[in-house]
Amino acid sequence: MDEQLLRLTQLTVNGIALGSIIALAAVGLTLTYGILRLSNFAHGDFMTLGAYLTWVANRSGVNIWLAMILGAGVTVLGMLLCEQLLWSPMRAIRATSTTLIIMSIGLALFIRNGIILIWGGSNQSYNLPVAAAVDILGIKVPFFDLIVVALAFLAILGLHFLLQNTKIGKAMRAVADNVDLARVSGINVERVVIWTWVIAGSLTALGGGMLGLTEAVRPNMGWFLILPMFASVILGGIGNPYGAIAGALVIGVAQEVSTFLLPTEYKLAVALFIMVLVLLVRPQGLFKGTL
């Protein structure tokens, strides 16, 4: 295979792995907006929290896969605590979207600096054996990239089943369409809100744990993904989890492939460019923005 083509293919494969991680977090982000009308800028830092909690459990001797589950569970508890202390009271007083955005940015800073206070600012890594890259037709695919894509695929299948075939999934879709109509129809909106945070927190923390498999665990790892997350949500159609997945894969591949021509420092600029372009050309996104 031609060297340039080989490199381009390698970058595409890397982009699919990155897009799979972004997809999990972007689904959580689009669910919280579609159902709660909350643009949560702390989402990336909850992702970081999930990675750190996974790292703590793993370094304590827990198997990495069980550590991810524990990390996700504690992250969900943190999100539910924020729901009770912050978001529920704000909804009760009908706070403006600007107020909610400012609060979420403050929450992001609080989580990030809390992580630095507790675990320090240096890079950390999971206690895992070194795994050799898998050679597929001359393309060196890191072993954990394959694991990441497989786990993301399974998580997305589980989400699809939940949204389409369970009572809570149908209730979530109803609340996303019209919360007042859902309430008068007898749907327990508060229960839907709790489930939204549980699903969003689980997927986001799992994404953080998987990101820790492919790179160092550090305090700002999730913050650097918040722009690609929002770009994915906007590209796929705000409130549409399937659109967010498709958007995340596009953003992930675009960011990695862009390094073929541009320095790596411009990765985030590529995500920003795609987001602005979509807002200008097709503000509703590629797909209908609904659950």
Side-chain angles (χ1 to χ4, degrees), residues 65-88:
W65 314 119
L66 180 57
M68 283 188 181
I69 295 173
L70 292 174
V74 179
T75 302
V76 167
L77 291 177
M79 283 191 165
L80 291 175
L81 181 63
C82 291
E83 161 64 20
Q84 292 300 314
L85 297 179
L86 297 176
W87 310 126
S88 181

Side-chain angles (χ1 to χ4, degrees), residues 275-291:
M275 183 172 71
V276 172
L277 189 64
V278 171
L279 287 171
L280 289 173
V281 177
R282 189 177 168 85
Q284 70 270 34
L286 299 177
F287 305 96
K288 185 181 176 183
T290 175
L291 292 174

Side-chain angles (χ1 to χ4, degrees), residues 35 37 174-185 187 189 193:
I35 294 173
R37 302 298 186 265
V175 171
D177 285 338
N178 190 317
V179 63
D180 294 324
L181 182 59
R183 186 175 276 112
V184 299
S185 300
I187 292 174
V189 174
V193 168

Side-chain angles (χ1 to χ4, degrees), residues 54-271:
T54 300
W55 169 72
V56 169
N58 178 241
R59 283 291 178 176
S60 300
V62 178
N63 175 277
I64 184 62
W65 314 119
L66 180 57
M68 283 188 181
I69 295 173
L70 292 174
V74 179
T75 302
V76 167
L77 291 177
M79 283 191 165
L80 291 175
L81 181 63
C82 291
E83 161 64 20
Q84 292 300 314
L85 297 179
L86 297 176
W87 310 126
S88 181
M90 288 298 104
R91 286 198 304 275
I93 64 172
R94 297 187 179 276
T96 64
S97 58
T98 303
T99 301
L100 296 177
I101 288 172
I102 293 172
M103 287 184 64
S104 71
I105 293 173
L107 178 61
L109 293 171
F110 177 81
I111 295 171
R112 196 176 323 139
N113 285 283
I115 288 172
I116 294 172
L117 178 67
I118 297 171
W119 294 299
S122 57
N123 292 357
Q124 309 292 347
S125 60
Y126 298 149
N127 184 21
L128 295 171
V130 177
V134 180
D135 192 316
I136 303 176
L137 300 176
I139 303 167
K140 299 292 185 182
V141 183
F143 173 74
F144 287 116
D145 279 8
L146 294 174
I147 296 295
V148 160
V149 173
L151 284 177
F153 180 73
L154 291 175
I156 290 166
L157 275 182
L159 174 70
H160 172 74
F161 178 82
L162 186 145
L163 289 177
Q164 300 297 331
N165 300 291
T166 65
K167 287 184 178 180
I168 191 62
K170 294 171 183 176
M172 288 171 72
R173 300 207 308 272
V175 171
D177 285 338
N178 190 317
V179 63
D180 294 324
L181 182 59
R183 186 175 276 112
V184 299
S185 300
I187 292 174
N188 187 335
V189 174
E190 292 308 312
R191 182 165 170 261
V192 170
V193 168
I194 291 172
W195 269 102
T196 300
W197 286 116
V198 169
I199 295 168
S202 300
L203 292 175
T204 303
L206 179 62
M210 287 161 52
L211 185 60
L213 288 175
T214 61
E215 62 178 60
V217 177
R218 59 189 193 281
N220 57 5
M221 60 191 296
W223 178 250
F224 283 128
L225 283 184
I226 194 67
L227 179 58
M229 283 183 221
F230 272 103
S232 303
V233 169
I234 291 170
L235 178 61
I238 297 174
N240 188 327
Y242 305 109
I245 294 164
L249 290 172
V250 171
I251 294 294
V253 171
Q255 283 196 171
E256 291 299 315
V257 170
S258 69
T259 61
F260 187 76
L261 300 172
L262 301 171
T264 56
E265 293 82 0
Y266 289 93
K267 278 185 183 181
L268 289 179
V270 171

